[in-house]
Structures are given as C-alpha cells and as structure tokens.
Amino acid sequence: MKKLLSLVAALVVGYLLASGGGWTGGGQTTASTSSVDSGESTPRSTSGSRDGGSLQSAFERRQSNIQVESAGEVSRVLADDTDGSRHQRIILRLPSGQTVLIAHNIDLAPRVEGLRPGDRVAFYGEYEWNPQGGVVHWTHRDPSGRHVAGWLEAGGRRYQ
C-alpha cells in the first residue's frame, strides 16, 4: 500500500512539475487519490457513462474507485512515470472542460504511440479523485483476472 501511495504521489508531483502548477479540474476543489494499478487487485464498483457525466459527477462528489468510460482531447502528453510500474501519462480535456490524467500502465499494456495535442482518446478505467480533475488508471487487463479490464482507444486501435 505504501508503494501505491508513493506512485500516486509521484504521478501528481511529476505532472505538477512538468506543467508548472496544476491542471484544471473544471473549477471545483476536492480531496485525495487512492491507489494506482500495480498488480494489486481489488474489486471495484462499475458505474460509468459514455458521455463523461458520471466522471464529472465523481469529480464533484470527490469519489474514487469507480469505473468510468468517456473520451476527450489530448491536452498534453507528459513524460512517462518510471518510478515503479511504468505509466504513460496523458492529460485529456473532456467535453465538459474538466481535465483528467490518464495513467496507462505500459508494463502491462502497449504504449499509445504518436499522441499529439488535439488527438481524440476514448478510455475505460478506474477513476481516482484529486483536486486537479482526477486520475484514470487500470486502462489495461488485469493479469490475475481480479480487476475489471480497462482500455484506451486512439487512432482506430484499442490498447489494453
């Protein structure tokens, strides 16, 4: 658990350093994140929405550990997080204006190559709340089969 919290902190700090501040979360303020995928599997709830409505609601209610499905436009492609399990980091702007950090485990799933600002990315994964808009992780299959499989879609290809 300590390693998971360190990984979450590294993701947030790495982003803040890379961006010079923070990312916007639609104007709301909120609380903290929990785990990032590292092979530890915990059953989660599976409420979600294709239009991002449940994701925005989760942000406003400071909820975590919920499955969400939505799509957004790439705002920034950040450097990979290489502390522990490697994660490709992408900031997406949702149609609502909210931004979300996608933390895609590239030790368990293929990297999404060639992403640029303005590209559209659809996703299904587990949402973790934070004040900047939140993090979506578990965008891959669980090798142990205990967590619902997530994915990213870009350029007509599904990555999981």
Side-chain angles (χ1 to χ4, degrees):
M1 182 60 125
K2 195 173 195 178
K3 184 176 178 182
L4 291 174
L5 292 175
S6 295
L7 182 56
V8 169
L11 283 169
V12 171
V13 169
Y15 174 77
L16 292 174
L17 291 174
S19 69
W23 69 94
T24 61
Q28 277 74 11
T29 56
T30 38
S32 67
T33 62
S34 43
S35 67
V36 170
D37 50 337
S38 65
E40 179 180 317
S41 300
T42 306
R44 308 289 188 186
S45 66
T46 56
S47 60
S49 170
R50 290 180 188 243
D51 66 4
S54 68
L55 197 149
Q56 185 168 354
S57 175
F59 174 73
E60 291 168 356
R61 295 177 185 192
R62 302 179 182 196
Q63 295 176 312
S64 290
N65 304 325
I66 62 168
Q67 290 298 127
V68 294
E69 180 178 359
S70 191
E73 183 177 293
V74 174
S75 175
R76 290 188 72 182
V77 177
L78 304 174
D80 291 349
D81 175 10
T82 57
D83 186 25
S85 298
R86 296 175 311 136
H87 287 77
Q88 181 177 16
R89 300 179 308 146
I90 309 156
I91 303 294
L92 296 181
R93 180 164 307 281
L94 305 177
S96 67
Q98 176 182 345
T99 57
V100 66
L101 172 65
I102 303 295
H104 182 61
N105 188 321
I106 54 175
D107 286 335
L108 297 174
R111 168 188 301 283
V112 182
E113 296 290 349
L115 282 178
R116 296 174 187 236
D119 289 349
R120 184 177 185 282
V121 175
F123 59 89
Y124 181 66
E126 185 176 294
Y127 178 77
E128 302 290 340
W129 181 90
N130 71 29
Q132 294 80 25
V135 178
V136 175
H137 62 109
W138 280 103
T139 55
H140 55 83
R141 291 187 178 109
D142 177 5
S144 63
R146 293 180 293 186
H147 193 284
V148 64
W151 46 261
L152 296 179
E153 287 182 350
R157 181 171 172 206
R158 182 172 277 198
Y159 299 83
Q160 61 182 165

